[in-house]
């Protein structure tokens, strides 16, 4: 062991990964430390010097004039000295500006149509320089031996992506080994995997689910955090989850629920997302005493592209926090230092302090969190709301092997619910009872039993119901369900954009549905609408069927078209993005379409089984 | 790698050490989590239930009524429910009491005459249930292969001892390999080693000392904190140290210095010790805004036995913080949750939250931090100021092999400063200039050049100077120095109690000095005073020459005798304990006696070389 240590120490990069599962607080190398010291001591010139601005010091909670010297991508010095300004130093004169640390989103999902690189490019424009993101789609789709590579590559962008490792699928899978403990354990050793979760099946954990308990124990032993997801959990149940290791939760939707989490010793993320804009309510829980333990954070929880394009990202969240009455300095601390501390990254991120990465948002005014200039790793990453830094070119097919391919031809029969499968007579005008998914809001469904007439062996759906099929991308099985209160009329809509990475097809015309599905397979994934035999909307998502190669604004424009299309067909909820994404999600009530069939989430029962083809 | 993980996961103890260098936030096992869940959910009875008290919730900064259920040594539930109270549950009815988390000292030295076990026994009486302690004496004296064992054993006491690993000796050593990077690196992998430092040679680090830089880079890569020690460092120098990795510092002695540390992004420990009772001054820096980042802590920094016996330990420090105007809840947070968070132990310690160790101080009143009842690991550890828990019996000679032994006979000549060694004439009534250590206060010395007459080849010391020799315990070398403003008269005082683990001998009569030294070797270490040929004081410290096997009150009684003896001889400073301890310390100004000789700390120069025997 001593020999191994020595090799690391005496090699050129003294801070090359020390051990396989270290939880580092900083990644600065020995060479970087040497350079930073020389600059800080005024013995060597800085690369860049931010002169004359006001510092938001999140450590001391103060605003005061201070300059910042940068070397090798990190902050070398903060204070009044100009000793490190040399002839080669790039001095930015910033009188009147406020320097805030780059923003951190402690909980996000970046497979929401926009790929992680384009997500990061957009994030940095608004001052966000680090996020902790979901690994769901990688675990679903990426070959095991390529996961470390893609996670590490994305962690090294100008916007640093850290990860929470999912412990289970978001929907029942044909291949359950994708989330087996043996597959997950080595991934826990990746340094930028800082947490596991989010643990959506909290009722199962509360009941003592053995698999979840074992995975969580393993994560705790590796020093990783446990990201919770306990919507609706009572205080007593939150305490029980904390006993098992729950270390944070972002699902409070009332101020009492904020307080319950905080009191239970759980780090509490206040969410303000495209799906739930809750900050005005949540902020009521915040008092100086309650904030003093620095265990409150802000999160946007994976907003969809249009919201980001129109409102911003964490800058928008901070703005909403301030507008909701949270003191401005605290609002910034909740989006900078506290998440860094929570994830054990406080010596790397979260504050404008010597040694930290030079991730800095330059503001006109503390009350306007949208920066005019952004530095990431000491480089100018965005100026006047335009990203100007370089992002990696990722060979996405390496990590998301083509999943949606025209190797088979979905036909209209695929979308017929067959009386025989329901043990119903081939002709029954009185009808059979069917558990329809009734969409209560964008994401919550309720079981609505509808009596559906049967003719020639097939169910004859009423006008207020659309067929909803979940189809294996390779055509080996289908689950035929039905959805109400989605649209009032819809020919066919096929979508690979969902948490199961399967094919969802909705509509009232089986021929249009089949055409949409076929076109989707030709596209390699995305969202396709067909009406009267003609394709009327295409939103290509060729990366795993869930992500676009395009920029966020381009994706947002396409998403707007999709939303407009659905609204024109009678969609009346707030967030079509999440409606589509969550159709197979097994952690929200009540009914879902899954690999098992039409699935009753609360009872854990299949109501209508899938059909193997 | 997957195979190794699997073995860990599927074994009986799923949370047995996961990797060699994990930085865990909790050590709870899978079995413990299962039990905690069952109790929290009310499906299984608790072992113990604290009923009817007021909870100090350090997470939410609130006081309110809440009960606490305990199982397998941890907190299973906190709240109103009684569902987990069963017939076998030990219910403690505590109306009117306040439940505070066990106190944590983030920075201590527990080799101050009292051994770690007895230190812990005393600490727990006052509600302290965890400390982060110095490893200096282990690194100096313990065989390398036995260090992990002793550190781990002491970490598992009712009072949990975590460690900061020294990066260098406190005084120049004959054997420099004791602090070599190759010796230290494997010790960094011990999970309870949470930090390195304290880095006393901060000026060397500021200059870029290669050895320190490499060791710090290694510690950062292992996810360990860097304990700073930068007395007198300016703001700009603190920033430079932060750039290298300095993560905390406890050396502020003015409120400006508190602010400088906080602003520099360095966790700031407010010290109130036997040596420096600074809280009234330091507290002036504390405002709600400055405290809101939760980066302020309290520390007692290794108080000597008499202070602890008379005033208490961290309970005393918290009391002083409150008396100094720090809001009570914040004062407790600074001694509980914040240190736990700083050391990455916030899921294990620092708050009364489910999953954490059941380390609880039961108070009569929030403003009186001295508890009437203390639980450690769920067991009643102290009641009415008496420790009632079991501590381990340590075979100290295994870890501190006998160092002071009567294998040789120090004689009077050892304590004569020889003219020949100073290149002086054998008889010179006009005298030679000698750099005397003038004791300015308990620990700071100033160089005071004194002209000393020479007769028959030896220096004839004036009456206001005592001889001060640092002697190799095995008799291979001696450094002969001189000290003024220590006592007005002193026959001979020998002491093995110092940071070099060598033998210091002071006095005005070389015969008494020799007798004291010989008696000390017979005792196996300690402090011995001889006057007129008779032993007048003995304080045995047979564990490494620095620690007693006796209880803290017994050691305190002996220390009082020592202090009284010295005061009777004219000692006029505040802390004889630290005066003796620091005589060879090379990180305090100005002059010290060391292995090199009489040492000028600021210049890093030997003024009078040692004499090899």
């Amino acid at each position: 062991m001593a020999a191994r240590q020595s090799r690391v120490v005496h090699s050129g990069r003294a801070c090359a990964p020390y051990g396989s599962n270290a939880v580092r607080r900083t990644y600065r190398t020995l060479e970087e430390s040497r350079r930073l010291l020389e600059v800080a001591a005024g013995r060597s010139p800085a690369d860049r010097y931010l002169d004359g601005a006001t510092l938001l010091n999140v450590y001391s909670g103060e605003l005061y004039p201070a300059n910042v010297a940068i070397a090798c991508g990190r902050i070398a010095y903060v204070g009044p000295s100009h000793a490190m300004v040399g002839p080669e130093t790039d001095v930015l004169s910033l009188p009147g500006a406020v320097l805030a640390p780059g923003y951190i989103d402690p909980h996000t999902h970046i497979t929401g149509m926009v790929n992680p690189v384009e997500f990061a490019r957009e994030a940095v424009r608004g001052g966000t320089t680090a996020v902790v993101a979901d690994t769901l789609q990688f675990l679903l789709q990426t070959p095991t031996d390529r996961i470390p590579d893609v996670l590490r590559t994305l962690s090294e962008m100008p916007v640093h992506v850290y990860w929470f490792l999912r412990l289970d699928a978001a929907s029942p899978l044909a291949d359950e080994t994708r989330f087996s403990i043996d597959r997950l354990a080595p991934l826990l050793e990746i340094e930028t995997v800082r947490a596991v979760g989010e643990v959506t099946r909290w009722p199962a954990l509360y009941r003592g689910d053995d698999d979840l308990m074992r995975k969580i124990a393993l994560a705790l032993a590796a020093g990783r955090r446990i990201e919770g997801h306990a919507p609706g959990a009572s205080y007593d149940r939150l305490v029980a989850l904390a006993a098992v290791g729950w270390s944070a939760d972002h699902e409070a939707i009332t101020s009492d629920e904020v307080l319950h989490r905080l009191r239970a010793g759980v780090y509490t993320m206040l969410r303000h997302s495209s799906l739930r804009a809750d900050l005005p309510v949540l902020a009521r829980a915040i008092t100086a005493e309650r904030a003093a333990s620095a265990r409150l954070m802000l999160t946007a929880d994976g907003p969809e592209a249009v919201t980001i394009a129109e409102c911003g990202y964490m800058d928008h969240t901070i703005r909403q926090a301030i507008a909701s009455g949270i003191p401005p300095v605290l609002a910034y601390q909740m989006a900078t230092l506290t998440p860094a501390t929570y994830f054990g990254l406080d010596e790397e991120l979260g504050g404008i302090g010597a040694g930290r990465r030079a991730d800095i948002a330059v503001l006109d005014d503390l009350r306007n969190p949208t920066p005019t200039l952004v530095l990431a790793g000491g480089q100018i990453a965005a100026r006047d709301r335009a990203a100007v830094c370089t992002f990696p070119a990722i060979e996405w097919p390496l990590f998301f092997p083509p999943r949606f391919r025209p190797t088979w031809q979905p036909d209209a029969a695929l979308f017929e619910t067959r009386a025989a499968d329901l043990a119903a007579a081939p002709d029954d005008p009185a009808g059979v009872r069917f558990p329809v998914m009734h969409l209560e809001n964008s994401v919550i469904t309720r079981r609505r039993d509808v009596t559906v007439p049967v003719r020639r062996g097939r169910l004859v759906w009423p006008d207020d119901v659309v067929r909803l099929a979940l189809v294996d991308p390779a055509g080996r099985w289908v689950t035929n369900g039905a959805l109400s209160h989605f649209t009032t009329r819809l020919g066919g809509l096929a979508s690979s954009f969902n948490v199961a990475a399967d094919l969802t097809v909705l509509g009232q015309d089986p021929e249009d549905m089949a055409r949409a599905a076929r076109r989707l397979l030709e596209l390699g994934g995305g969202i396709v609408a067909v009406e009267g035999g003609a394709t009327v909307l295409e939103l290509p998502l060729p990366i795993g069927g869930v992500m676009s190669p395009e920029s966020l604004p381009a994706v947002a424009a396409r998403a707007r078209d999709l939303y407009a299309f659905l609204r024109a067909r009678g969609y009346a909820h707030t967030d079509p993005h999440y409606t589509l994404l969550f159709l197979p999600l097994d952690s929200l009530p009540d009914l879902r379409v899954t690999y098992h069939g039409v699935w009753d989430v609360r009872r854990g029962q299949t109501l209508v089984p899938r059909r193997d083809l």
Side-chain angles (χ1 to χ4, degrees), chain A:
Chain A
M1 190 48 87
R4 179 170 69 80
Q5 300 307 335
S6 299
R7 184 174 55 74
V8 172
V9 174
H10 302 302
S11 72
R13 285 179 66 85
C15 296
Y18 170 85
S20 57
N21 67 339
V23 182
R24 291 208 239 177
R25 290 193 183 77
T26 173
Y27 299 80
R28 78 190 86 158
T29 65
L30 175 58
E31 288 65 35
E32 286 171 343
S33 283
R34 284 183 173 133
R35 176 88 203 287
L36 293 172
L37 173 63
E38 294 306 300
V39 173
R43 298 187 291 248
S44 176
D47 297 338
R48 183 163 273 141
Y49 190 86
L50 312 187
D51 198 18
T54 295
L55 173 73
L56 169 58
N57 189 320
V58 291
Y59 306 111
S60 68
E62 299 170 308
L63 285 155
Y64 57 88
N67 308 316
V68 176
I70 294 168
C72 53
R74 290 178 182 268
I75 295 163
Y77 174 80
V78 184
S81 174
H82 286 75
M84 61 292 296
V85 178
E88 304 293 311
T89 304
D90 178 27
V91 177
L92 303 182
S93 180
L94 298 167
V98 174
L99 307 181
Y103 311 141
I104 304 172
D105 187 347
H107 182 89
T108 197
H109 310 273
I110 51 178
T111 44
M113 296 194 193
V114 182
N115 74 67
V117 172
E118 295 304 322
F119 184 91
R121 197 191 305 276
E122 182 68 18
V124 79
R125 302 197 310 130
T128 299
T129 50
V131 303
V132 185
D134 194 351
T135 49
L136 176 64
Q137 291 292 351
F138 300 101
L139 289 168
L140 279 175
Q141 302 199 42
T142 306
T144 303
D145 60 350
R146 290 184 186 157
I147 292 178
D149 186 20
V150 70
L151 297 189
R152 285 192 188 114
T153 300
L154 295 171
S155 297
E156 289 164 8
M157 298 191 293
V159 174
H160 299 280
V161 184
Y162 300 87
W163 305 100
F164 52 91
L165 193 70
R166 284 273 181 168
L167 298 185
D168 50 15
S171 187
L173 293 185
D175 176 9
E176 292 187 344
T177 65
R178 292 199 165 268
F179 294 86
S180 70
I181 198 164
D182 286 341
R183 186 170 191 245
L184 296 177
L187 300 176
L188 259 185
E189 304 204 2
I190 298 170
E191 280 204 15
T192 55
V193 172
R194 307 302 286 200
V196 298
E198 54 185 292
V199 184
T200 53
R201 293 195 300 121
W202 73 263
L205 183 60
Y206 180 76
R207 290 189 299 268
D209 181 274
D210 187 64
D211 180 61
L212 280 175
M213 292 286 285
R214 284 178 181 276
K215 289 170 177 171
I216 287 174
L218 187 70
L220 289 178
R224 266 63 182 181
R225 296 285 195 181
I226 314 299
E227 288 298 296
H229 165 109
S234 67
Y235 168 78
D236 276 2
R237 294 197 172 195
L238 284 166
V239 170
L241 297 169
V244 175
W246 215 259
S247 49
D249 191 280
H250 58 276
E251 290 290 342
I253 59 172
T254 69
S255 69
D256 274 354
E257 288 182 350
V258 169
L259 188 53
H260 291 168
R261 283 157 174 78
L262 192 59
R263 285 183 171 177
V266 172
Y267 271 88
T268 305
M269 298 177 188
L270 275 55
R271 176 176 57 190
H272 195 85
S273 73
S274 61
L275 189 58
R276 293 206 57 103
D278 288 331
L279 264 172
V281 167
L282 305 182
R284 289 181 205 145
I286 311 308
T287 64
E289 289 72 22
R290 290 176 184 163
S293 60
R295 294 172 69 90
L296 296 167
M297 294 178 255
L298 299 176
T299 181
D301 195 11
E304 48 75 73
V306 175
T307 303
I308 296 179
E310 292 179 356
C311 304
Y313 178 36
M314 287 302 289
D315 52 331
H316 172 61
T317 311
I318 296 168
R319 182 178 292 109
Q320 294 306 310
I322 295 170
S324 301
I326 293 177
V329 172
L330 175 59
Y332 285 92
Q333 286 171 321
M334 290 168 72
T336 56
L337 183 58
T338 304
T341 302
Y342 169 65
F343 285 110
L345 288 164
D346 61 298
E347 296 182 38
E348 182 77 354
L349 303 173
I352 299 180
R356 279 73 169 180
R357 282 182 189 155
D359 297 343
I360 298 173
V362 181
L363 314 178
D364 282 343
D365 186 304
L366 188 69
R367 300 191 76 89
N368 179 6
T370 303
T372 51
L373 185 72
V374 179
L375 283 86
Q379 301 301 309
I380 292 176
R383 194 193 288 278
D384 299 329
R385 302 275 300 132
V388 296
C389 52
T390 305
F391 285 87
I394 309 274
E395 284 281 332
W396 289 115
L398 280 176
F399 306 110
F400 289 89
R403 180 172 175 87
F404 298 92
R405 289 178 298 165
T407 52
W408 65 292
Q409 295 276 317
D411 61 16
L414 191 65
F415 305 108
E416 297 289 1
T417 305
R418 302 191 303 194
D421 295 331
L422 302 173
D427 278 285
D428 183 355
V432 294
R433 290 179 68 81
F434 192 92
V436 169
M437 295 164 57
H438 184 76
L439 204 56
E440 279 214 337
N441 60 33
S442 299
V443 295
I444 303 294
T445 68
R446 295 292 170 209
R447 177 174 174 165
R448 176 183 157 228
D449 283 356
V450 174
T451 302
V452 187
V454 184
R455 193 186 316 156
R456 295 185 201 161
R458 294 176 177 180
L459 272 64
V460 183
W461 295 103
D463 284 350
D464 64 342
V465 165
V466 300
R467 298 157 197 246
L468 165 58
L470 186 74
V471 185
D472 173 41
R476 290 166 298 198
W477 53 264
V478 61
T479 287
N480 292 110
L483 187 65
S484 64
H485 205 204
F486 174 63
T487 51
T488 50
R489 58 199 162 81
L490 182 66
L493 180 88
S495 168
S496 57
F497 179 69
N498 59 67
V499 295
D502 288 331
L503 181 57
T504 44
V505 190
L506 303 102
Q508 289 164 309
D509 180 340
E511 291 295 345
D512 282 350
M513 292 171 75
R515 281 191 197 95
R518 290 197 295 269
R519 177 61 186 150
L520 185 144
L521 294 178
E522 285 170 14
L523 280 178
I527 300 172
V528 175
V530 173
E531 287 184 326
T535 299
V536 292
L537 181 131
E538 280 189 5
L539 198 168
L541 299 170
I543 305 171
V546 288
M547 294 179 284
S548 165
E550 295 184 307
S551 73
L552 186 138
V555 172
R558 290 184 184 272
R560 271 191 211 96
D561 291 345
L562 168 68
Y563 303 168
F565 169 83
L566 287 172
R567 288 192 205 292
R569 271 71 189 165
Y571 179 89
H573 306 292
T574 55
D575 201 328
H577 170 106
Y578 275 102
T579 302
L580 293 175
L581 190 64
F582 286 171
L583 288 171
L585 182 71
D586 70 354
S587 57
L588 280 180
D590 252 346
L591 301 192
R592 300 286 153 180
V593 281
T594 73
Y595 169 69
H596 293 325
V598 177
W599 180 253
D600 184 319
V601 171
R602 290 184 202 269
R603 292 188 179 79
Q605 281 181 355
T606 302
L607 303 182
V608 182
R610 77 167 179 274
R611 186 150 56 95
D612 290 323
L613 304 174

